[in-house]
Amino acid sequence: MDWSDTYTRLIVKLTEELGPATAQHLVSRLFEANTKPNQVEGVLLLLDELQDMSPKVARAAIESFSDLQQRDRLSDAVAWLDLGTALAESSGAIGLKYFKESPLVLGLIEQVSVRSFVLKTALELAEQDANVALEFLRVSPELVTVITPEQLGAWLEIGFELAQVDFVVAMEYIRQIPAVARVLPVQDARAWATFGLKLISQNSLGKTDYFGTIEFFRSSPLILGDLEDQTVRAKVVTVGSLLAERDPASGIAWLSESPRLLPMVPNEAWRLKVLQYGALVAERDAETALAYLRRAPELVRVIGDSTEATARFTAWFTAGMEVLAYSVEGARAYFALESQKALLSVEAALSGVPLRQVARTVKLFVQGLCGTDLTIQALPNSLNQETSARATVSQDGRTISLPALLRRYPTAEENTRLYLVMAAHEAGHVEFGTYRLTLEPFADLVMVLRQRYGLVKQAAPDTLASLFHLYPHPGLIQDLWTLVEDARVEFLLQQEYPGLQHDLKRFAHEAIATRSLTHGLTVKELVVDQLLQMSTAASQPTAIHEAIKDEIAILWPMCRAILVPTATAEESVRVAHALYVRLEELLAPKGAMIQVDRADDPSENLGVGPSASEQTGEDYRPVTNWVYRGAMNPEFIRQHDQDAGASNNEKQSVEIERMARAAGGSQESSAQGQRNQEGVHRATESDRLAGGRQLPSHVEELLDMKVEQPASVDDARPGDRAVRYPEWDERIEDYRLNWCRVVERAAQEGSGDIVGATLSAHGSEVTALRRFFESLRPPGLRRVPGQADGDELDVDAAVRMCAERAAGADVSDRIYVRRERKERDVAAVFLVDVSGSTSRQLESGRRVIDLEKEGLVLLCEALEAVGDRYALYGYSGQGRGQVDFLVIKDFDDRLGGKAAQRLSGLTPMQQNRDGAAIRHATAKLLAQETRTRLLVLISDGRPLDDGYKDEYSLEDTKAALRQARQRGVHPFCITIDREADGYVRRMYGDVQFAVIDHIEDLPKRLPRIYQRLTA
């Protein structure tokens, strides 16, 4: 076939669709682009073949020639048509899509050789699967930028294998190849795809559901891209695949959480070790492995970087695997850091000293210093801080906060000594009146500042911090006050307690010896740093920087004025003011910054942040104080009337704190409360707190156990208070720590008069009841004869003495009678189950809860008659994160008024988690100063709550009652379940109990039972 014939025939074929002018132009360009005649002839032959195969596809191909020519891709026309023909042979619809989309795709690939490779590869794919071939072509412009031709076959082979599973899955895989190739090498791609296939599930209709796999293909490249190390990414995929094989949800959870968890681990070697161990656990149990993977990064971070860190972590992991060998549930609790065994193992793994180990020692030490009952607590989030956290003392002086962990020194003894010195320093601020200071004495100082700095119209300061803001440089005056007041307190501590001198001087000398002046400091910063060193060293010589010798010679004597036994907190403020003013005068002529050489080593051992003042944007940067000195807060120093208001607010929380400490519970912050309300915490990507303070880590919360907590209020509902308690799990034979959240609140008030109605209905019985219990009340005074001294002469003893004297026998001088007050010293708690089952109606038409309330009214009458102190509480709830503890009548409440209305308003609620309620009631009792503590539990059946039933609930209730008895509380259980014989003995164990078969007898029997218990 000659050129002219081919030329003419091709124009004729194209003219039918494009018109003569366009057809002639295209054919001319086609001949120009293809120098070999057989290539143009190939175009004609392929168009004829398409026409025979599908006229519609052939028309689409001819219409696309214009797009191909506009993108200057006519040189690829033969290969382009050849691929289209192969696709159309498989499916006309695919052929139509191809000719519509392919010109744009080819236009995006610049290199001719790359386009030829793409078309050739797509043609080979079309012979196996047209859908795969078309999808490959669509992504090829991006694909060829990230994958070499040599690697492409391996990637596409996986696509063909996926096509055997489901063509939609294969299509999604082809689409995601560029994204995956950016984060994983080809040798790891098959493992990644296998992970995705393990997410295939069955839907509710019993059909195969590929949604999880497709979503995995789409989202996992972005998630893996958040991990920096390629080796770590591959290991993340391996672990996730192992998890997904046993539980797809665990695999997905791990993948989504890994970018948040792994950055906690300090380096790649540690990350690979964590993941290696994670794979070992995942081969055994998915839930256990997920628990391990969530907690191991936190533990690695707090273990530290000592030479023994790897061995400690391995020992912790090995102990967990030993637990896994005999108990999956136990291993889950162990690796989730939820059990008592987990707490002990974490402590063994730490390279430092946890505060909880020495909290009691520290508390006794500081109480011995200042003679005040102080609470020791861990600083929130102190494990997450890059530098050591600094101790603080609360405004009321009752709580000292210390770092949750100290590992500054290689030995436990040295770290413990640092804890003691830190606590002593804060106790010194309490004893020597730092925060008893008020603003009233500084009225003259405020006037001076207003006049000096032109602030006549400035509002009067309400705190010392706002007074500092009257100065041009608030940070500078705050640092001066801090160093002066710290020096005063330290001086007085050494004067009053010589035993502290050795440790204080040692830490001070060490701090100064390691302090470096080779940081870029302004003159003001240099002066303050120098004064800090000199005020700490006291009489010891200290090197003075040449640039500020003259200034220090003037300022240091002013500082020394505070180092006398009679110095007060007020004088510290005035000395700081005098230093500021004099420093201002001395530096006014200089005005410029003195630049000195920066040290290569920032020497974080010198001190810790935050420093005494905040960065304020001024040309003064706060100076870092010594590590053993705490952070002082000028906001605590206020006007006298403000102090009173703040103190009243804090006193409202004291009772709940005392209570929690007594029963081993722990207060929780509002953030913790919200996190635990729903029960089990599921860590997800949403756990990232955008722009906010990070939640305390689980390891930190674990280390806070048994360290006295602050009396913090749960902000979920005004007036509610939340305490968390452990729960006994008989399956793992261990306590799950901080497992239940008990929310104490006042019971809702009702409108009826249950007290009056009950007393009217049982008139004669009430009278007899009062008379009987009044007879149990001891007389006001009892006569004690035979005393050496007393209120009156014992006539019988005097006569006997005279007879003995006359007989020459030994004579006793005990001839007096003393009258002593006799009292019943009993505190009783009545804990009533108000779960939904108490709504059950009896044959009489009354509900169980109605009889419970009636019995409590009669019981209260008896208790009022005998004079014992008592409290009434109800309990219910839903799940371990919301155990409701309802206060009907507290120990100090009167029976009438609100207490009566709360009793009247008692209604059936939800479920009952007996163990948690018993622990909280025990805590309430232990907070009472009394000789005899009685806890009476009234329930209508076995415990039942979410995840709390059968043997688990029975054993936990038994453990709670046993704990109560060990702590000096006498429990007694009353059940009104006729079928209780099957479980009541196992649940109550050795504790006394009574089963009331006829519930109608409850009101009458309650007072009699109480009488027997207190006889």
Side-chain angles (χ1 to χ4, degrees):
M1 186 180 294
D2 58 20
W3 281 42
S4 59
D5 184 48
T6 302
Y7 186 91
T8 303
R9 289 183 59 193
L10 192 54
I11 290 176
V12 171
K13 185 171 282 294
L14 297 182
T15 299
E16 297 175 8
E17 300 298 332
L18 304 176
T22 303
Q24 188 169 359
H25 175 72
L26 276 174
V27 173
S28 298
R29 294 296 304 274
L30 190 61
F31 270 88
E32 292 173 4
N34 295 274
T35 56
K36 296 179 181 179
N38 62 337
Q39 291 177 324
V40 179
E41 184 179 343
V43 170
L44 184 59
L45 291 173
L46 287 169
L47 286 174
D48 289 340
E49 185 178 345
L50 267 177
Q51 183 67 34
D52 295 339
M53 188 183 301
S54 172
K56 187 175 181 180
V57 175
R59 286 195 299 272
I62 293 171
E63 290 171 356
S64 297
F65 260 104
S66 296
D67 288 342
L68 203 64
Q69 183 265 328
Q70 287 177 6
R71 290 174 171 81
D72 195 21
R73 296 296 182 260
L74 289 176
S75 60
D76 302 311
V78 174
W80 173 68
L81 282 171
D82 194 13
L83 175 58
T85 303
L87 293 173
E89 186 178 5
S90 173
S91 167
I94 294 178
L96 290 171
K97 291 178 182 177
Y98 167 76
F99 284 117
K100 182 179 180 181
E101 300 174 18
S102 57
L104 174 60
V105 172
L106 293 175
L108 296 173
I109 303 175
E110 294 294 334
Q111 296 183 23
V112 176
S113 60
V114 175
R115 290 198 302 274
S116 298
F117 172 76
V118 167
L119 290 169
K120 179 183 176 183
T121 303
L123 183 61
E124 294 172 356
L125 294 175
E127 294 174 359
Q128 302 182 58
D129 192 297
N131 287 295
V132 172
L134 179 60
E135 200 59 49
F136 164 74
L137 186 74
R138 287 168 172 165
V139 300
S140 60
E142 184 181 8
L143 196 62
V144 295
T145 64
V146 293
I147 296 177
T148 63
E150 295 77 18
Q151 294 178 336
L152 187 57
W155 285 97
L156 294 176
E157 183 182 346
I158 298 172
F160 285 124
E161 293 174 7
L162 293 174
Q164 303 302 314
V165 177
D166 182 78
F167 88 92
V168 176
V169 171
M171 294 302 96
E172 192 59 45
Y173 167 78
I174 297 294
R175 291 188 196 106
Q176 299 303 328
I177 287 178
V180 179
R182 289 188 176 93
V183 296
L184 288 174
V186 65
Q187 57 266 30
D188 296 321
R190 190 175 299 277
W192 172 82
T194 303
F195 184 175
L197 291 178
K198 291 176 181 178
L199 304 178
I200 297 173
S201 60
Q202 299 292 315
N203 62 24
S204 58
L205 300 176
K207 295 183 179 181
T208 304
D209 189 343
Y210 299 103
F211 176 77
T213 300
I214 293 172
E215 190 58 35
F216 169 83
F217 285 167
R218 290 172 179 169
S219 60
S220 60
L222 290 173
I223 296 173
L224 292 171
D226 289 338
L227 299 169
E228 295 181 0
D229 306 317
Q230 192 174 85
T231 309
V232 170
R233 291 177 197 148
K235 202 67 178 176
V236 166
V237 169
T238 301
V239 173
S241 185
L242 287 169
L243 290 170
E245 187 172 341
R246 287 153 182 79
D247 176 31
S250 295
I252 294 171
W254 159 240
L255 180 68
S256 65
E257 294 175 35
S258 58
R260 175 178 60 84
L261 295 170
L262 290 176
M264 299 182 193
V265 183
N267 54 54
E268 182 181 357
W270 260 114
R271 292 183 192 115
L272 292 175
K273 179 175 287 294
V274 167
L275 292 170
Q276 176 190 355
Y277 288 169
L280 294 176
V281 187
E283 291 174 353
R284 303 284 299 278
D285 181 68
E287 190 174 336
T288 303
L290 193 56
Y292 160 82
L293 291 165
R294 283 171 171 164
R295 300 307 176 205
E298 297 178 12
L299 186 60
V300 169
R301 185 178 57 187
V302 300
I303 281 178
D305 54 359
S306 68
T307 55
E308 300 176 353
T310 302
R312 290 174 182 271
F313 181 78
T314 301
W316 171 79
F317 174 78
T318 303
M321 293 300 285
E322 291 172 357
V323 176
L324 181 58
Y326 66 84
S327 171
V328 173
E329 285 290 337
R332 289 172 182 173
Y334 177 93
F335 283 122
L337 306 184
E338 291 172 347
S339 67
Q340 187 74 26
K341 289 187 182 73
L343 174 58
L344 297 175
S345 68
V346 167
E347 290 181 344
L350 294 176
S351 58
V353 176
L355 177 59
R356 66 176 300 277
Q357 285 186 352
V358 297
R360 178 170 173 76
T361 300
V362 173
K363 175 173 180 171
L364 294 174
F365 176 73
V366 295
Q367 283 182 345
L369 287 181
C370 56
T372 306
D373 185 13
L374 293 171
T375 295
I376 302 298
Q377 72 164 28
L379 281 164
N381 209 28
S382 56
L383 293 181
N384 292 331
Q385 297 186 14
E386 294 182 1
T387 55
S388 302
R390 301 182 67 198
T392 62
V393 62
S394 63
Q395 184 177 1
D396 62 0
R398 295 176 179 173
T399 302
I400 293 176
S401 301
L402 300 170
L405 176 72
L406 277 183
R407 52 174 174 230
R408 184 177 178 81
Y409 296 100
T411 68
E413 180 182 359
E414 289 175 300
N415 286 312
T416 302
R417 284 185 175 277
L418 180 55
Y419 264 133
L420 293 174
V421 170
M422 282 179 162
H425 217 280
E426 299 314 295
H429 283 291
V430 174
E431 181 176 2
F432 302 125
T434 298
Y435 297 122
R436 288 197 299 272
L437 183 65
T438 62
L439 285 189
E440 277 76 10
F442 301 116
D444 60 325
L445 188 57
V446 173
M447 291 181 63
V448 168
L449 291 172
R450 284 175 169 173
Q451 293 173 0
R452 183 179 180 88
Y453 300 116
L455 303 173
V456 178
K457 296 183 179 180
Q458 187 84 10
D462 55 354
T463 66
L464 187 60
S466 59
L467 187 149
F468 288 159
H469 276 83
L470 298 178
Y471 293 82
H473 298 294
L476 174 59
I477 182 62
Q478 183 169 328
D479 274 0
L480 289 171
W481 169 68
T482 298
L483 77 86
V484 169
E485 180 63 5
D486 271 338
R488 181 185 77 91
V489 168
E490 201 162 309
F491 173 82
L492 293 176
L493 280 171
Q494 295 189 51
Q495 292 289 312
E496 293 290 326
Y497 308 107
L500 273 176
Q501 287 184 9
H502 175 75
D503 285 336
L504 277 170
K505 287 181 178 179
R506 175 198 165 187
F507 287 122
H509 177 74
E510 177 185 313
I512 295 170
T514 56
R515 189 74 157 188
S516 171
L517 285 179
T518 56
H519 294 70
L521 302 177
T522 64
V523 180
K524 293 190 289 290
E525 293 161 3
L526 202 57
V527 168
V528 174
D529 193 274
Q530 189 76 67
L531 291 176
L532 173 64
Q533 293 188 59
M534 298 182 73
S535 66
T536 305
S539 59
Q540 299 178 15
T542 304
I544 301 175
H545 199 284
E546 287 291 336
I548 55 171
K549 272 190 174 182
D550 295 339
E551 289 79 3
I552 295 299
I554 297 171
L555 297 173
W556 172 234
M558 298 171 64
C559 271
R560 288 188 61 114
I562 205 69
L563 302 180
V564 294
T566 57
T568 64
E570 179 185 341
E571 290 176 65
S572 292
V573 177
R574 295 189 180 278
V575 168
H577 168 74
L579 287 169
Y580 182 97
V581 172
R582 194 71 180 101
L583 182 61
E584 198 172 47
E585 294 169 352
L586 291 170
L587 298 186
K590 297 187 176 182
M593 178 183 290
I594 295 178
Q595 292 287 353
V596 292
D597 295 335
R598 290 185 179 273
D600 293 333
D601 178 11
S603 188
E604 71 175 40
N605 288 335
L606 306 183
V608 293
S611 52
S613 65
E614 299 295 330
Q615 192 74 22
T616 59
E618 54 181 314
D619 63 342
Y620 174 79
R621 293 169 298 175
V623 173
T624 302
N625 207 337
W626 312 125
V627 70
Y628 68 89
R629 289 182 174 180
M632 292 171 58
N633 190 347
E635 293 284 353
F636 288 173
I637 299 173
R638 313 178 174 203
Q639 298 286 355
H640 181 73
D641 54 346
Q642 288 180 308
D643 275 341
S647 178
N648 289 335
N649 290 335
E650 289 170 358
K651 285 179 181 177
Q652 294 176 2
S653 299
V654 171
E655 184 65 21
I656 197 79
E657 160 59 15
R658 207 157 50 112
M659 205 176 55
R661 294 204 306 267
S666 62
Q667 302 304 127
E668 65 176 21
S669 66
S670 60
Q672 292 168 338
Q674 292 163 7
R675 192 171 76 171
N676 286 281
Q677 259 181 324
E678 300 301 325
V680 179
H681 172 59
R682 292 175 174 80
T684 64
E685 285 297 295
S686 62
D687 282 343
R688 302 184 189 210
L689 304 180
R693 176 182 169 274
Q694 184 180 355
L695 288 173
S697 73
H698 195 88
V699 174
E700 184 173 18
E701 291 180 6
L702 193 69
L703 293 177
D704 287 351
M705 293 287 185
K706 296 184 180 178
V707 175
E708 298 167 289
Q709 300 291 319
S712 54
V713 177
D714 187 343
D715 294 335
R717 284 182 53 176
D720 293 0
R721 301 182 189 276
V723 185
R724 291 190 290 166
Y725 290 97
E727 187 168 272
W728 176 257
D729 188 340
E730 52 89 22
R731 298 167 299 185
I732 66 174
E733 298 182 351
D734 201 355
Y735 280 101
R736 291 189 179 271
L737 303 177
N738 270 6
W739 196 247
C740 295
R741 176 175 175 270
V742 177
V743 180
E744 179 183 322
R745 58 186 174 85
Q748 189 172 354
E749 297 176 14
S751 56
D753 184 10
I754 182 69
V755 175
T758 301
L759 295 181
S760 299
H762 298 270
S764 58
E765 296 172 22
V766 170
T767 302
L769 195 63
R770 285 178 183 152
R771 188 178 300 115
F772 175 78
F773 272 86
E774 284 172 351
S775 69
L776 301 178
R777 186 193 292 268
L781 296 172
R782 64 174 178 175
R783 190 172 181 274
V784 184
Q787 302 298 307
D789 58 74
D791 303 307
E792 60 184 78
L793 187 67
D794 185 343
V795 177
D796 292 338
V799 171
R800 189 163 52 251
M801 182 189 71
C802 292
E804 290 170 351
R805 180 179 293 169
D810 291 337
V811 177
S812 171
D813 60 352
R814 295 183 173 275
I815 58 171
Y816 294 95
V817 173
R818 185 169 67 242
R819 298 190 178 273
E820 295 181 347
R821 182 172 298 278
K822 183 179 179 182
E823 295 179 345
R824 285 170 62 97
D825 194 8
V826 177
V829 159
F830 295 89
L831 184 60
V832 185
D833 170 11
V834 291
S835 60
S837 59
T838 59
S839 63
R840 175 168 55 95
Q841 278 198 327
L842 307 172
E843 294 178 0
S844 62
R846 304 181 69 190
R847 299 174 303 171
V848 171
I849 197 168
D850 296 328
L851 292 173
E852 285 182 341
K853 292 194 288 186
E854 187 175 294
L856 289 175
V857 171
L858 296 179
L859 180 64
C860 290
E861 283 296 308
L863 292 168
E864 293 288 333
V866 77
D868 290 346
R869 298 177 64 245
Y870 67 97
L872 307 178
Y873 306 119
Y875 71 98
S876 183
Q878 187 73 47
R880 67 183 179 90
Q882 185 70 33
V883 180
D884 292 319
F885 191 90
L886 309 176
V887 178
I888 305 167
K889 177 196 174 298
D890 227 328
F891 284 101
D892 297 328
D893 294 341
R894 292 177 54 253
L895 177 59
K898 288 187 178 295
Q901 292 174 2
R902 291 173 190 155
L903 181 57
S904 178
L906 217 55
T907 57
M909 296 178 66
Q910 300 176 80
Q911 304 192 80
N912 56 311
R913 205 175 193 98
D914 289 17
I918 290 168
R919 290 183 178 94
H920 193 63
T922 299
K924 301 278 284 185
L925 264 173
L926 291 174
Q928 301 302 310
E929 299 293 337
T930 187
R931 186 173 60 213
T932 303
R933 298 179 178 89
L934 181 65
L935 171 60
V936 179
L937 173 68
I938 304 172
S939 173
D940 74 329
R942 67 169 67 214
L944 180 65
D945 195 8
D946 297 344
Y948 193 81
K949 58 183 179 179
D950 302 332
E951 290 299 317
Y952 183 99
S953 63
L954 299 181
E955 290 298 325
D956 177 60
T957 302
K958 181 195 291 187
L961 291 168
R962 183 172 59 245
Q963 280 180 323
R965 194 169 64 172
Q966 290 171 348
R967 292 172 175 270
V969 173
H970 302 285
F972 186 87
C973 304
I974 300 171
T975 182
I976 48 181
D977 182 5
R978 293 181 178 179
E979 300 175 358
D981 290 341
Y983 64 85
V984 70
R985 294 186 184 278
R986 294 204 317 279
M987 181 169 68
Y988 294 145
D990 298 332
V991 173
Q992 290 181 298
F993 65 90
V995 178
I996 299 180
D997 295 329
H998 300 286
I999 188 172
E1000 291 82 359
D1001 295 338
L1002 177 66
K1004 297 178 181 178
R1005 292 190 60 180
L1006 267 180
R1008 301 296 177 183
I1009 290 172
Y1010 182 78
Q1011 183 268 325
R1012 290 200 304 272
L1013 291 174
T1014 58

